[in-house]
Amino acid sequence: MRDTEGTCWKCGRALERGEYGRQEVCPGCAADTRACRNCLHYSKSMDNECREPAAERVLDKEKGNFCEYFKPGTPKAVGVSSKEVSA
């Protein structure tokens, strides 16, 4: 049984707990995994695109970063249909 923590923002692949290091990339598409787009707090509708008000501003939401508030989330993958993700 996989220890799934969240999903990749870019391809929708399930990511395991150990796949969220600062320099880790998604095995499915090579996108950085510890990036704002993969975070539970990420929200386009919020100021700074983050629900965590104390988080420092990160300009590139798709690149790996050192945010202390990062928590893996399950974002809807861009460019991937829900049929592809569940297959």
Side-chain angles (χ1 to χ4, degrees):
M1 183 171 140
R2 289 182 57 161
D3 193 11
T4 301
E5 188 80 7
T7 58
C8 176
W9 67 269
K10 190 170 185 181
C11 73
R13 181 186 181 279
L15 296 171
E16 296 180 30
R17 189 164 291 153
E19 294 179 305
Y20 286 99
R22 166 62 178 81
Q23 295 187 17
E24 294 290 323
V25 295
C26 173
C29 67
D32 290 342
T33 56
R34 191 181 178 91
C36 294
R37 294 287 303 261
N38 266 351
C39 184
L40 179 67
H41 300 299
Y42 177 75
S43 174
K44 291 283 277 182
S45 65
M46 300 299 288
D47 185 38
N48 195 25
E49 297 178 271
C50 185
R51 289 185 192 100
E52 175 50 61
E56 290 187 33
R57 184 172 186 203
V58 174
L59 295 177
D60 192 339
K61 308 293 186 192
E62 298 177 5
K63 294 291 182 191
N65 61 63
F66 295 102
C67 181
E68 297 174 29
Y69 299 99
F70 178 84
K71 290 188 183 189
T74 53
K76 181 177 179 184
V78 298
V80 178
S81 72
S82 58
K83 288 181 182 178
E84 292 176 74
V85 172
S86 62

